[in-house]
Amino acid sequence: MRTAPTILHLDMDAFYASAEQAAKPSLRGKAVVVGGLGPRGVVATCSYEARVFGVHSAMPMAQARRLAPNAAYLVPRFGLYREISEQVMKLLRELSPLVEPLSLDEAFVDLEAGRAAWDERSALLAGEKLRADIRAVTGLTGSVGLAASKMLAKIASERAKPDGLVLIEPGTERALLAPLSVRVLPGVGPATGDHLRRGGISTVGDIAEAGEDELVRLLGKAHGVGLYAMALARDERRVVAERDTKSVSVEDTYDVDIHDRVRVRGEVQRLADRCVQRLRAARLSGRTIVLKVRRYDFSTLTRSETLRGPTDDPAVVREAAARLLESVDTTGGVRLLGVGVSGLADYTQEDLFAQARTAAEEEPEPLPAGEGTAEEAPEEPVPAARRRWHAGHDVRHAEFGHGWVQGSGLGRVTVRFETPFSGPGRVKTFRVDDPALAAAEPLPLVERGVPPGSG
């Protein structure tokens, strides 16, 4: 195991909300909540000003509105977020060939592999330069953690938030980990955390004190041994440019077709439990649950459901698989069943992109290329009188120029006219079918042609 703190973890600060504040001068320094605005919507992310009121990611939007009624509530603009993410990832790849993205706004970097750092001093210099370059290129801030392992680098970046850098010095790891909740360790989700707590283990120090044998008794050999090593600050996971494992799945083929619906349900539940065992053994979690059914006539059906965030909870996977089964006709008999989990991540990584897609389900947003389904028909042109104007999205008016939607309803749409480089703009209201008003592309957050490190 390396001893120099040359593993870097970058986490952009309140990514979606910060991008919206940078794009909209009137929202800078104010509470901003990004997510689905419909009755089932959830918060994708929120600004630090909104967090003061208790708003947080994955919270139902209705609850967020009660806590922060005066915040700005916006629908995600995925195209803008992906564009910024690509700029950030390009900067990371200039540091090292070993960059492991975890989501749009988060990644690990092996600085030593790129000869960008080899000791504490060089790691600090690389981290500070990266933060400055991100600000110059994107106009946004990111927090950086530096340590000798992925687990510790992530803990360091969390401590650095917002807009900071923390380096964990070699030799201090055990003392730093001891008082922290068991939930900071990769692979410890809500279910595992509750199980450990019932066994009298709440902190990382408790795990170290309990010993490996007790962890194996509580969690099984694979999970227990790995978790005990993490508690002792031993994390041998390498930064990998591409994940070898895209999904974890199990399936069974039956010698005789199963016709009994009750037995089919029982088999799906059993497969879900086996799948979670493999997931935990790999110290992973996933956000998409997949059910595979091969019927008596060899036709194979797959159904999937994407959760708000990654999970390794067997109850959650069982329930999702059971819901998926309800949409499949098995009356003719089943010869194969399978359950899988994809969209993999370390459990402690919060997948904001997954959350945002769920959050925006009530506010239709064009899917990224390749994410459509074969059954989707081409969109019909929307009559002007029926156009929907999503809060926060970009528009352009023939007379007043570029702006963004503050809200709409009762046949009217309210627009604030401003750009990333103007001051707070004026507000005007139009009919939803005003021919002078049209949807527009997002503007860049930083003036083009400004080289990194110059601002």
Side-chain angles (χ1 to χ4, degrees):
M1 178 176 175
R2 76 177 71 199
T3 56
T6 53
I7 300 296
L8 180 148
H9 180 259
L10 170 72
D11 197 352
M12 299 295 288
D13 299 320
F15 183 43
Y16 295 176
S18 294
E20 297 298 347
Q21 289 177 318
K24 302 171 171 66
S26 60
L27 297 184
R28 292 170 190 170
K30 298 181 179 179
V32 175
V33 181
V34 180
L37 305 189
R40 291 185 296 152
V42 297
V43 175
T45 192
C46 59
S47 68
Y48 288 98
E49 294 87 354
R51 297 179 192 189
V52 172
F53 298 98
V55 181
H56 59 76
S57 300
M59 171 182 284
M61 191 61 77
Q63 183 180 356
R65 288 185 183 276
R66 289 193 297 270
L67 292 172
N70 297 319
Y73 288 87
L74 309 176
V75 176
R77 296 189 293 163
F78 293 127
L80 173 65
Y81 309 148
R82 280 193 295 270
E83 182 180 342
I84 298 170
S85 177
E86 289 168 3
Q87 294 172 331
V88 172
M89 296 303 165
K90 181 180 178 182
L91 290 174
L92 297 182
R93 293 187 179 99
E94 290 173 0
L95 284 175
S96 173
L98 291 184
V99 176
E100 183 177 345
L102 301 178
S103 66
L104 288 180
D105 64 330
E106 187 174 5
F108 286 111
V109 183
D110 188 331
L111 296 175
E112 189 173 358
R115 298 182 180 178
W118 49 91
D119 58 11
E120 291 181 39
R121 183 175 179 277
S122 57
L124 283 169
L125 289 173
E128 290 293 5
K129 182 178 185 302
L130 173 65
R131 292 179 59 238
D133 287 350
I134 288 174
R135 186 186 290 272
V137 169
T138 70
L140 305 181
T141 63
S143 295
V144 167
L146 293 160
S149 69
K150 291 168 70 174
M151 174 185 69
L152 291 165
K154 182 169 176 61
I155 290 172
S157 70
E158 189 64 31
R159 292 187 161 218
K161 284 187 167 294
D163 190 21
L165 182 150
V166 168
L167 181 146
I168 297 178
E169 296 181 5
T172 67
E173 298 93 344
R174 290 279 300 274
L176 181 146
L177 285 173
L180 302 182
S181 165
V182 294
R183 290 290 303 278
V184 305
L185 299 180
V188 180
T192 301
D194 289 343
H195 189 56
L196 289 171
R197 194 157 42 250
R198 288 193 295 271
I201 296 175
S202 299
T203 68
V204 178
D206 292 339
I207 292 178
E209 187 176 340
E212 186 175 273
D213 291 344
E214 178 64 8
L215 265 291
V216 170
R217 185 186 72 79
L218 287 171
L219 303 175
K221 186 171 182 180
H223 202 36
V225 170
L227 205 58
Y228 180 69
M230 293 278 189
L232 300 182
R234 295 201 297 262
D235 179 11
E236 301 293 341
R237 295 173 304 153
R238 296 182 178 182
V239 176
V240 289
E242 294 291 340
R243 284 193 181 275
D244 295 329
T245 304
K246 302 297 182 184
S247 65
V248 173
S249 63
V250 295
E251 63 183 44
D252 278 345
T253 301
Y254 305 99
D255 294 332
V256 179
D257 291 354
I258 303 174
H259 294 82
D260 183 354
R261 184 72 173 183
V262 174
R263 186 185 167 197
V264 172
R265 291 193 192 100
E267 288 294 313
V268 168
Q269 300 293 286
R270 184 177 60 82
L271 290 166
D273 286 342
R274 283 173 51 196
C275 182
V276 169
Q277 288 174 4
R278 290 190 179 184
L279 201 65
R280 289 182 168 183
R283 294 201 288 271
L284 294 170
S285 64
R287 61 184 177 89
T288 300
I289 314 304
V290 181
L291 175 70
K292 179 179 177 181
V293 180
R294 182 166 296 150
R295 298 189 292 191
Y296 69 101
D297 59 354
F298 287 90
S299 62
T300 302
L301 304 175
T302 58
R303 299 287 186 268
S304 65
E305 176 179 326
T306 297
L307 308 174
R308 292 175 184 172
T311 186
D312 70 345
D313 188 339
V316 172
V317 177
R318 283 196 301 266
E319 290 167 7
R323 285 193 298 271
L324 295 170
L325 180 62
E326 292 305 311
S327 66
V328 179
D329 180 9
T330 62
T331 53
V334 171
R335 60 186 301 112
L336 177 146
L337 289 168
V339 174
V341 177
S342 61
L344 302 181
D346 296 336
Y347 191 88
T348 51
Q349 153 63 16
E350 186 173 52
D351 192 339
L352 295 180
F353 186 55
Q355 291 178 2
R357 287 191 59 195
T358 305
E361 61 187 356
E362 295 298 323
E363 297 287 344
E365 172 78 4
L367 288 171
E371 291 197 11
T373 64
E375 292 76 24
E376 289 176 344
E379 289 188 6
E380 295 293 331
V382 179
R386 292 176 50 205
R387 287 186 295 181
R388 295 188 66 186
W389 301 101
H390 301 304
H393 282 215
D394 298 87
V395 295
R396 174 166 285 280
H397 191 274
E399 179 181 354
F400 302 108
H402 191 95
W404 58 277
V405 176
Q406 279 200 327
S408 63
L410 302 177
R412 300 282 176 176
V413 55
T414 300
V415 177
R416 183 180 287 272
F417 291 97
E418 60 187 9
T419 74
F421 316 114
S422 71
R426 55 183 173 173
V427 176
K428 290 186 174 293
T429 299
F430 308 91
R431 298 193 319 272
V432 295
D433 60 350
D434 189 321
L437 192 64
E441 292 297 316
L443 297 176
L445 303 184
V446 173
E447 294 183 89
R448 300 191 187 282
V450 178
S454 63

